[in-house]
Amino acid sequence: MGEIGGFGGLFDPRAAGFSDPILVAATDGVGTKLRIAIDCGMHEGIGVDLVAMCVNDIVVQGAEPLFFLDYFATGRLEPSVAATVVEGVARGCVEAGCTLIGGETAEMPGHYEDGEYDLAGFAVGAAERGRLITGEGIREGHRILALASSGVHSNGFSLVRRIVADAGLSWDDDAPFADGPLGAALLTPTRLYASAALAAHREGLVRGFAHITGGGLIGNVGRVLPAGLGAEIDARCWTLPDVFVWLAEAGELAAPHLAETFNCGIGLVAIVAAEDADACRRAFEAEGERVCDIGTIVQRTPDLPAVQIVGHETEWRG
């Protein structure tokens, strides 16, 4: 609704097909991954990261993304850089199925050095009343399905940058874990899961979702579990991507530290009834996702962790 140039963006939920919607909102940035984009002069994907970090947080609650707003702050505006970043935001919105209805560009000389900028984003989605995913229906014996990540996504980059510096590498050096420059490999955009998550939700197949962001695989799966239940994840069910193998080796990270910081190759977790696991996998795969069954929901006593990753030389606990 409304015209470009207003003081606020307008959106009509009824025009989007909702009759009695509950709104779900999320705001986020891209962390110190932004430092790599600036240092490398590679700004094409960072806007996609921004959208994904916000949108993935609302779709895991069963909400359809409706609209997005971005905030771009810099010391001195470089139009080509700003345009490239916002083009990425627009691409992310198209992929997520939401509308970019507004934003703000701020010049703040003296606050940011020339060539530097910061980003923040805000997404709003909606679900019909009674259709939110709360995790309340999770039960012992339910299966844990994992959707593959596209890389490190947008969390843990302060540690990534420290490991790169300690290894004496620059962003232009060949990546030890992939073809091409290290900086470009690490800047692979965060994967958007909106279409896959909503497809499975529309079929009523998912009891709980977890977006694997800050806190890693261990920290985020536990957030969706009801009291008295835990997640037992088998590390033998998927292959740790090369980027995480390298980070673990170069940073001398023990398995628990790796899983408490990074997604370890899993960007989204879905918890489903055992009898729905095959149908849910098919729904995800129909949307282009790589899926594997990585564990089960178990009874948890107070002395046990919420998430335990087994099948590794050392058990990962959190």
Side-chain angles (χ1 to χ4, degrees), residues 4-30:
I4 294 174
F7 286 97
L10 307 180
F11 191 93
D12 181 2
R14 289 195 177 187
F18 291 92
S19 59
D20 186 17
I22 299 294
L23 298 181
V24 180
T27 185
D28 211 336
V30 296

Side-chain angles (χ1 to χ4, degrees), residues 29 72 83 87-88 107 117 139 156 167 174 183 209 220 280 288 294 299-300 306 313 315:
F72 180 97
E87 285 169 5
E107 281 191 293
Y117 62 90
R139 298 289 184 267
D174 290 339
F209 274 124
N220 287 284
C280 195
I294 64 169
Q299 285 291 333
R300 176 194 174 201
E313 309 86 57
E315 291 187 352

Side-chain angles (χ1 to χ4, degrees), residues 128-139:
E128 292 290 3
R129 193 177 300 273
R131 289 284 293 159
L132 290 172
I133 299 174
T134 64
E136 293 177 356
I138 296 173
R139 298 289 184 267

Side-chain angles (χ1 to χ4, degrees), residues 23 39 53-54 71 77 89-90 95 105 108-109 118-119 130 145 171 173 177 183 226 238 295 313:
L23 298 181
D39 289 348
M53 293 302 291
C54 297
Y71 174 77
L77 184 64
V89 172
E95 186 175 343
T105 301
M108 303 169 66
D118 201 3
L119 282 177
L145 301 184
W171 305 125
D173 289 335
F177 53 84
W238 81 99
E313 309 86 57

